[in-house]
Amino acid sequence: MTLKNLKFLIFVLSLPTCVHDTKQKDKLKIFLTKDHVELSLNLLNNASTSYKKYKNIISDVKKATTDGQWNRSIKVIKLFLGRHPYDNLAMSLLAFSYYKSGSLRKAAYFSKLVLNKDQDNPIALNLLGIMLLKKSKILNDFRNAKTHFYQAFQNNPTEIAAGLNLAYLQLSLGNALAAEKTFLELSKRCDSCAIASLGLAISYMRLEKPLQAKNLLETLQKSQKLHAISSYHLALYSKNILHDKEHSNSILKEALQTDRLHNNSEIKKRIKELIDSNSQQL
């Protein structure tokens, strides 16, 4: 594994902050699955054994993703940089840690330093793209964020996170055709991971390819990957394509009974709203 291949693994862990489907009345977050995070951690662990120089700081970033102690991670990386000034991987991890700690200005500062040495660094580009989305006061912010995600995805053949951000942003901006293309490429890179399959299914629905969307959503639902969200979109399929609101509600009620949604109040709220909407129209 090359040093550049290592970079994409870090940022996958921060995805839940930026992926939305704004086609609905309120923003619906698409949460990263536990399996995807564990896969990233395993790959990071393998990489860290190949790069003994970075083992401690990578290990500490991994630990911070579970215990939230980003200030500790920042301290460890700063000590490393004291011994290895301007090391680009360390600075990209520092930018990432600052972002996760909420210090967005410092995250932006170190991301730009990283890009001065490596203009295609996917961690730095992804961070800058997400921070643009966070402020997103004008349409140009979305366009610039898309440019960052596109550059990271296109110029790094192993990159996944930037592609997910790019594809879901393309959906949010109403470009389902571009999103479909990005999700198809993502599916090759991440071995048809659940979050890419979900996005591809949503793209198919927007492009009026309902059967392809249905097949993907049913596969996700049966595998229990993103079960609640895939059930929600299957319920939309039943309501809007099959015009069967009773079946739509049965899917939603089953999702409420079988899923642990206490940590996902947004999708739980969305499911209940769709049940109420269906019931009023029956």
Side-chain angles (χ1 to χ4, degrees), residues 127-275:
L127 279 169
L128 291 175
I130 285 180
M131 286 186 279
L132 279 168
L133 288 184
K134 277 185 171 289
K135 73 171 189 176
S136 58
K137 294 179 180 178
I138 57 175
L139 184 59
N140 204 43
D141 291 331
F142 289 95
R143 289 173 178 160
N144 288 335
K146 187 172 70 170
T147 298
H148 286 314
F149 296 144
Y150 183 85
Q151 182 179 344
F153 186 58
Q154 291 297 318
N155 296 343
N156 295 279
T158 56
E159 176 64 7
I160 294 174
L164 288 168
N165 294 337
L166 172 64
Y168 278 102
L169 182 55
Q170 287 167 332
L171 277 180
S172 297
L173 295 174
N175 193 345
L177 191 60
E180 177 193 29
K181 182 179 178 181
T182 305
F183 280 123
L184 285 169
E185 173 59 27
L186 273 166
S187 294
K188 297 176 185 176
R189 296 189 188 188
C190 69
D191 195 23
S192 297
C193 56
I195 199 164
S197 295
L198 176 64
L200 184 57
I202 296 170
S203 301
Y204 285 150
M205 290 290 283
R206 305 270 178 89
L207 294 169
E208 299 182 358
K209 300 177 180 179
L211 290 179
Q212 289 168 274
K214 177 175 176 284
N215 291 337
L216 275 176
L217 291 169
E218 286 180 340
T219 299
L220 284 172
Q221 189 189 43
K222 289 173 184 175
S223 68
Q224 297 298 307
K225 293 179 178 179
L226 296 181
H227 183 269
I229 298 173
S230 56
S231 295
Y232 173 78
H233 285 284
L234 272 174
L236 284 176
Y237 171 86
S238 292
K239 177 182 179 179
N240 298 327
I241 306 299
L242 302 179
H243 305 292
D244 188 342
K245 297 179 181 62
E246 287 187 6
H247 185 240
S248 177
N249 271 1
S250 70
I251 294 172
L252 296 167
K253 290 174 181 177
E254 185 268 341
L256 286 176
Q257 290 173 357
T258 58
D259 274 281
R260 296 179 180 179
L261 295 173
H262 57 280
N263 289 328
N264 197 341
S265 58
E266 219 168 322
I267 185 61
K268 186 175 182 180
K269 177 185 175 184
R270 179 64 58 201
I271 287 173
K272 288 183 175 180
E273 286 178 349
L274 187 52
I275 290 174

Side-chain angles (χ1 to χ4, degrees), residues 34-79:
K34 186 172 180 288
D35 288 345
H36 205 92
V37 172
E38 287 180 350
L39 172 64
S40 301
L41 290 175
N42 289 337
L43 289 168
L44 275 172
N45 186 55
N46 294 336
S48 66
T49 59
S50 301
Y51 292 92
K52 293 181 180 179
K53 176 181 175 182
Y54 301 105
K55 185 174 181 178
N56 288 339
I57 60 173
I58 291 173
S59 177
D60 207 83
V61 169
K62 284 167 53 184
K63 188 176 179 181
T65 62
T66 57
D67 66 19
Q69 297 298 313
W70 291 103
N71 287 334
R72 181 197 63 227
S73 179
I74 289 167
K75 183 178 179 180
V76 170
I77 297 169
K78 281 185 172 181
L79 287 172

